[in-house]
Each structure stands twice: as structure tokens, then as C-alpha cells.
Amino acid sequence: PSGTWLLYLPCTWSIGLAAEPGCLPDWHTLSLFGIGAVLMRGAGCTINDMWDRDYDKKVARTASRPLAAGDISTFQSFVFLGGQLSLALCVLLCLNYYSIILGAASLSLVITYPLMKRITYWPQLILGLTFNWGALLGWSAIKGSCEWSVCLPLYLAGVMWTLVYDTIYAHQDKRDDIVIGVKSTALQFKEDTKQWLSGFSLAMLLSLCMAGMNCNQTFPYYSAVAAIGAHLAHQIYTLDIDKPEDCWKKFASNRTVGILLFIGIVLGNL
């Protein structure tokens, strides 16, 4: 699913940037983070569905989810969540001590994010802080600690990227959200959405340039950043915020953005 890719790709960026010049990223670490992304994305979905089971019943797109539909009980979902988090912990324990502590620190964000749409019009910002934790964790898994001059701009770029794609995603549900009383950046920005998305995209590109300069990246990296800029510009220009099917198509295309950057990082390192 798209969500798993969008959680995993910032991890790959960080792992790629942390590789030694002339070397490919560490495939063992990439594999561990891939397993972790599947497990933690799944755990996040379980937590989200537990918090939102009463809301999900009222929205056509989510009414068939197992908890909302009554196919499983709350207790069964707790058991399932326990299994997901236990397996994710096994993955985390394969990393160094610094990364174990850093990874565990993200759990509070995973648990509280689903509540944010009840209290703020900016739940997409909290999702960005949650989904891009791998931009910090990937580097520390390779190096043993974070190089903040690289990791923080990379993390910020990921947060800005999430604000782009998840605002687009939120426009699918804005009519239902108004009825059931939940908030989103789609409802906050309304017809000004494209201007906001353009600002977030520019901030993402500038942050990626800063991260690249701080770890001596080369021409292929900046070529990938330029390609991402073109992709985002096309995505925003052609977006129809009132057509859910177009919003979904644009949202899903962000996997290409993440893969483009990873390829640019690998080629830049080589």
C-alpha cells in the first residue's frame, strides 16, 4: 500500500546518505527498515482504526474497515496490535543502542497522531513528524548517532512532503469530515490549497539541497531534486481538489517522488 512506501522511503534516503562515498547503501539495514515499515505502518493503521471506529462508520470509504463494520472486537484489535508492536520491537532491537532509544521515542507520535484531527486543523503536520522519523533513524542505524546538519534538513524535507501529499489525500474526505466534525489542512486551506502546497514543496526542495550540501552530495543528487521539483509542480498544477479520484491519483504518485530521491542519493554517492 502507498502508506507503507511513504513511511519507508524517508528511511531509505537517510540510509543512502549515510553510506560511505563510492558505496551502495547497506542492504541489510534497508531490509530491516522495510520490515519495520510494514509492521509500524500496520500498527499505525490499527491504532487509527481503534480511535476512529465510531467516525469510520459514518464515512462510506471507511465503513467496511473491520472494527467499524463490527467484524472484530476491540479486544481482538488490542491483541493484534500487541503482535505488530512486538515484532516491530524485534526489528528495533537489531539496531544500535542510540537507534533503539530514538526509535522508541517515536511511539508517542504513533499513538497520539490519530487524535489530532479532533483538536487541530493541522493533523497532517503531526503525521509528517511521525512518518518521517526514519529520516533520523536510518542515519543513526548506520553511523551510531545523528549528524544533525544532515538529518534535520532531511527530516524537515520529509515533513513538508507529507504536508503536500496528505493535504491532497484529505481533500478526498472533506465533505464527510465536515459532517462528522473532524479537521484537516484541506478544510483549513480550502481554495488556497495550491498556494500552500507550492510553499511546502519549495521548503522541501530547499531542505533537500541543504541536506545534500552538508554531506557533500554530487550532481546526480541535485538532478533528482530538480526532477522532484518538476514532479511536484506538475502534480499541484493539474490537481483538481474537488475530484476524489484525481486526489487519490496525485497522492499515490508521491511514491515516485520518494523513489526518485533514493535513486539520486545512490547515484550521487557512487
Side-chain angles (χ1 to χ4, degrees):
S2 297
T4 305
W5 278 104
L6 296 173
L7 179 62
Y8 178 51
L9 284 164
C11 306
T12 70
W13 305 343
S14 193
I15 293 166
L17 285 174
E20 292 298 319
C23 297
L24 289 167
D26 183 76
W27 289 102
H28 177 258
T29 308
L30 284 172
S31 301
L32 274 180
F33 274 73
I35 296 166
V38 171
L39 291 167
M40 287 308 297
R41 170 62 179 156
C45 288
T46 303
I47 293 166
N48 187 69
D49 288 2
M50 289 166 72
W51 283 123
D52 288 355
R53 59 187 180 277
D54 294 329
Y55 287 112
D56 287 345
K57 293 173 186 175
K58 302 172 186 175
V59 179
R61 192 174 61 81
T62 58
S64 61
R65 290 179 177 175
L67 266 171
D71 295 335
I72 62 172
S73 67
T74 303
F75 175 75
Q76 286 173 312
S77 65
F78 266 114
V79 173
F80 184 61
L81 176 63
Q84 289 173 304
L85 292 176
S86 297
L87 290 172
L89 178 62
C90 292
V91 174
L92 187 62
L93 291 175
C94 295
L95 307 180
N96 54 60
Y97 289 121
Y98 185 100
S99 300
I100 291 170
I101 294 167
L102 186 63
S106 70
L107 193 58
S108 59
L109 285 169
V110 175
I111 293 168
T112 56
Y113 156 70
L115 292 173
M116 292 299 110
K117 59 191 165 196
R118 294 160 169 76
I119 59 176
T120 176
Y121 279 100
W122 290 81
Q124 280 69 28
L125 176 60
I126 310 305
L127 180 67
L129 296 172
T130 308
F131 249 52
N132 294 283
W133 204 259
L136 308 176
L137 195 57
W139 184 284
S140 75
I142 298 295
K143 299 287 195 181
S145 64
C146 284
E147 175 57 60
W148 296 111
S149 65
V150 178
C151 294
L152 282 181
L154 189 67
Y155 183 54
L156 178 61
V159 173
M160 293 298 107
W161 182 43
T162 302
L163 279 164
V164 172
Y165 67 66
D166 208 57
T167 297
I168 294 172
Y169 183 91
H171 271 285
Q172 294 179 105
D173 296 332
K174 59 190 174 187
R175 293 179 183 85
D176 289 321
D177 289 347
I178 291 168
V179 171
I180 62 180
V182 300
K183 302 174 175 69
S184 72
T185 47
L187 297 178
Q188 176 76 9
F189 302 155
K190 299 176 183 173
E191 298 307 313
D192 293 331
T193 289
K194 290 193 178 186
Q195 291 94 307
W196 281 93
L197 297 185
S198 299
F200 296 144
S201 298
L202 180 60
M204 176 191 182
L205 297 172
L206 290 173
S207 297
L208 288 175
C209 288
M210 185 182 296
M213 287 188 290
N214 288 341
C215 63
N216 302 312
Q217 266 296 336
T218 57
F219 177 73
Y221 174 85
Y222 296 105
S223 300
V225 172
I228 287 167
H231 188 291
L232 290 172
H234 178 265
Q235 194 180 132
I236 294 166
Y237 181 74
T238 59
L239 172 67
D240 187 337
I241 59 174
D242 296 317
K243 285 190 177 176
E245 61 275 13
D246 187 56
C247 290
W248 173 260
K249 182 181 174 184
K250 297 297 193 300
F251 164 76
S253 76
N254 278 278
R255 179 176 66 174
T256 303
V257 171
I259 291 172
L260 272 174
L261 185 59
F262 178 62
I263 292 171
I265 289 169
V266 172
L267 294 178
N269 258 24
L270 292 176

